Amino acid sequence: MTEPADETFMWAALAEARRGIGKVSPNPTVGAVLVRRSRIVSRGYHRASGLPHAEIECLAAAPPGSLRRATLYVTLEPCSTTGRTPPCTDAILGAGVGRVVIGATDPNPRHGGRGIDQLCAAGIKVTTGILGTECSRLNEAFNKWIVTGKPFVIAKCGMSLDGRLTRSLGEGQWLTSPVARRHARGLRTEVDAILIGAETLRRDNPRLTTPGIGGARQPWRVVLSRSGKLPPAAHLFSDRFAARTLVYRDKSLRRVLSDLGRRGVTSVLIEGGGDTLGQAFDARLVDKVQFYLAPLLTGGPVLAVPGKGAGETSAGARLLQTRFEKIGPDLIVSGYPRWGETAG
């Protein structure tokens, strides 16, 4: 049975969970709050892989005498198996809480539902599905990886209004505004790897780092190259994060993603260039789109997403759950692509 304040407290647990975004992979992001007499008495979130889970942090932070008959709100079903840490269900049972409210069930088919069953069998009242969509979306990359072994792929691009990457002479190298570029760099803190093509490396010599974002870990930097002939003095090979650079020579994007998944990479941000983005869309490998549109018309031959294309409109990738957000003078368009008949 749900209670009137369940969603309110689950929102608080989600706020805790977001503090761990980009820090816990390949584990899921989880948050928890403990409530007694309609008041939050402790909070917790999963801080890093190998450290205590959100439930353990929350229970450990609870004041003496506050656990009995309290309600624990947690964004993801508590784990019931031993990994790098003991099962959270054991700690919950030992704490003596009277009720557990869960946002999303464990997506791992080997474990999903076991934690709930253990808690129910011990006589604890369990409510599931509170803000389930929001809690699942928080771990969309982990959810795909744990089921398929393949990373969640985000296609990111800054382009002109007419879909070009062409840079106008005399206006610098950037199409989008500084505020939009800062926002886009923030995406790097949320993924395990950033992927580019060899031509982007040669032309732009990017760093693909997360400067100025406190506590952010450096994602893997992945380069696709047909020839393997890349400038050895490039930042990716000579800076302090050089060990975090991977080069794949003459491998299809699908094979590269499969290999990254085996390495424990749960999410990949494709930053360019156009040829790499075109490959990703042609092969239908993109899970999410985040494009930054500048109010600028440049023309020119350099398309943001070339490739072979859909052939006909009905076979194109239609964005679902599309969002539009204005940021400075630019527009962010994001959503989840579905191709052809699957778009319905």
Side-chain angles (χ1 to χ4, degrees), residues 93-118:
L93 294 175
V97 300
R99 181 171 179 246
V100 176
V101 180
I102 297 168
T105 56
D106 190 335
N108 190 331
R110 296 180 298 170
H111 303 155
R114 287 180 55 182
I116 295 171
D117 291 342
Q118 287 184 13

Side-chain angles (χ1 to χ4, degrees), residues 237-255:
F237 306 129
S238 58
D239 67 10
R240 63 192 180 99
F241 298 117
R244 298 286 290 174
T245 300
L246 297 171
V247 176
Y248 287 89
R249 180 180 177 182
D250 200 24
K251 296 286 191 300
S252 71
L253 181 55
R254 189 181 299 276
R255 289 184 62 184

Side-chain angles (χ1 to χ4, degrees), residues 109-135:
R110 296 180 298 170
H111 303 155
R114 287 180 55 182
I116 295 171
D117 291 342
Q118 287 184 13
L119 297 175
C120 290
I124 293 178
K125 297 177 182 178
V126 177
T127 301
T128 62
I130 302 300
L131 299 183
T133 298
E134 291 81 358
C135 291

Side-chain angles (χ1 to χ4, degrees), residues 10 13 30-33 54-55 72-78 92 100-104 130 135:
M10 189 59 75
V30 185
V33 298
E55 303 93 316
L72 179 67
Y73 290 81
V74 60
T75 56
L76 183 66
E77 177 184 355
I92 294 170
V100 176
V101 180
I102 297 168
I130 302 300
C135 291

Side-chain angles (χ1 to χ4, degrees), residues 56-71:
I56 307 303
E57 277 224 340
C58 186
L59 295 174
S66 64
L67 293 171
R68 294 290 173 182
R69 295 181 297 278
T71 299

Side-chain angles (χ1 to χ4, degrees), residues 140-157:
E140 57 189 4
F142 171 81
N143 294 345
K144 178 186 177 183
W145 176 76
I146 199 66
V147 173
T148 68
K150 299 175 183 178
F152 186 85
V153 177
I154 304 169
K156 190 219 82 175
C157 184

